[in-house]
Amino acid sequence: AVQRFPSGKWLPVSMDGIAEDASLIFHKFQYPVTSVSAKLHQQPLAPEAATMDSVVLDIIADGMLGSRPVHGSGWIRNPGPELELKFHVEVQDLPLDGRFRDALDEKGRKVIDSLNIDGLGSANVECHRAPGLNQPTDIQLYTTVREGKVRFSKFPYEISGLEGQLSYDSKAKYWRFTNLHGWHDKGELHAGGSFRGLPEPGALQLSITAENASLDSDLFNALNPSSRKLWTMLQPTGSVSLTTKIDWTSTPGHIPVVELQNIRIFDASI
């Protein structure tokens, strides 16, 4: 129904809608959402309402993201080409697999490919589209990872049993990795870092701290050529605790800068 307000403007006053067994794909994250059940309800208009900017529609939706249930809620103001949108999405234990990777944009895929990360991710996503024509939808993603692993392509030392947090800001093209914890054999590892997509071509900074890691072929193969040369001369055995700092600019063919710090070797021989 529509109603004429004191301003002289005719505005909708009781917009409601229901969707059942629907499907959708969001252009910013092209992972199909299926079995969607959604409800749309218009908030009451104030007596002084004069434009479509006063029209706000609440939305609640549930569906399936792959095999995992997903819930969303939010609102749309001024439905139409100049709409403003705020929407919150939650999903638990979504596999960080090839399907997840393929749903990302090109820069997101580049980050995931460089880290070779997988596991299960529980995510909270905040979406906002500012009012006006041709406005982008900005995303803030917060993900907790468990039962995962990571193997950075430029320092291929795998961390398994991975737990930690990932966040992503689509407007700044900024990924942040915090409180990452896992294992490599008997060695305990902690890691953190970031990938800045702007200014292009983007840069990755990563810090990995290892405690009680074996001086074995896995560590040898992850080192840069100069470190491997020294290793070959010394032929060390035993265990090591150290911090590895990695700086990499995302330019084709660019070699990362790998710096080893705070090295402590024990139970060793050369």
Side-chain angles (χ1 to χ4, degrees), residues 53-98:
D53 284 336
S54 301
V55 177
V56 179
L57 307 177
D58 291 324
I59 303 172
I60 297 176
D62 293 280
M64 298 296 295
L65 199 61
S67 63
R68 304 303 304 157
V70 59
H71 174 76
S73 61
W75 51 262
I76 294 173
R77 183 187 304 277
N78 185 18
E82 299 187 21
L83 67 83
E84 180 182 10
L85 169 108
K86 280 200 174 181
F87 206 68
H88 175 80
V89 180
E90 297 178 9
V91 63
Q92 301 293 316
D93 289 341
L94 180 69
L96 304 178
D97 54 13

Side-chain angles (χ1 to χ4, degrees), residues 179-199:
N179 301 317
L180 299 182
H181 173 263
W183 300 85
H184 185 95
D185 195 15
K186 65 178 181 179
E188 184 175 11
L189 297 104
H190 298 267
S194 64
F195 179 85
R196 295 185 179 274
L198 296 176

Side-chain angles (χ1 to χ4, degrees), residues 35-64:
S35 303
V36 176
S37 174
K39 294 182 179 180
L40 178 149
H41 177 71
Q42 183 178 351
Q43 295 181 10
L45 283 174
E48 64 272 16
T51 68
M52 283 293 291
D53 284 336
S54 301
V55 177
V56 179
L57 307 177
D58 291 324
I59 303 172
I60 297 176
D62 293 280
M64 298 296 295

Side-chain angles (χ1 to χ4, degrees), residues 155-199:
F155 187 78
Y157 190 72
E158 184 172 298
I159 304 174
S160 59
L162 179 70
E163 298 178 347
Q165 291 81 46
L166 310 178
S167 63
Y168 175 61
D169 181 338
S170 69
K171 189 172 184 178
K173 301 293 189 293
Y174 181 65
W175 290 81
R176 187 169 181 83
F177 321 107
T178 55
N179 301 317
L180 299 182
H181 173 263
W183 300 85
H184 185 95
D185 195 15
K186 65 178 181 179
E188 184 175 11
L189 297 104
H190 298 267
S194 64
F195 179 85
R196 295 185 179 274
L198 296 176

Side-chain angles (χ1 to χ4, degrees), residues 14-32:
S14 57
M15 294 177 63
D16 289 282
I18 296 176
E20 294 289 349
D21 199 25
S23 61
L24 60 90
I25 296 180
F26 181 43
H27 70 285
K28 287 279 189 173
F29 181 64
Q30 298 188 25
Y31 199 123

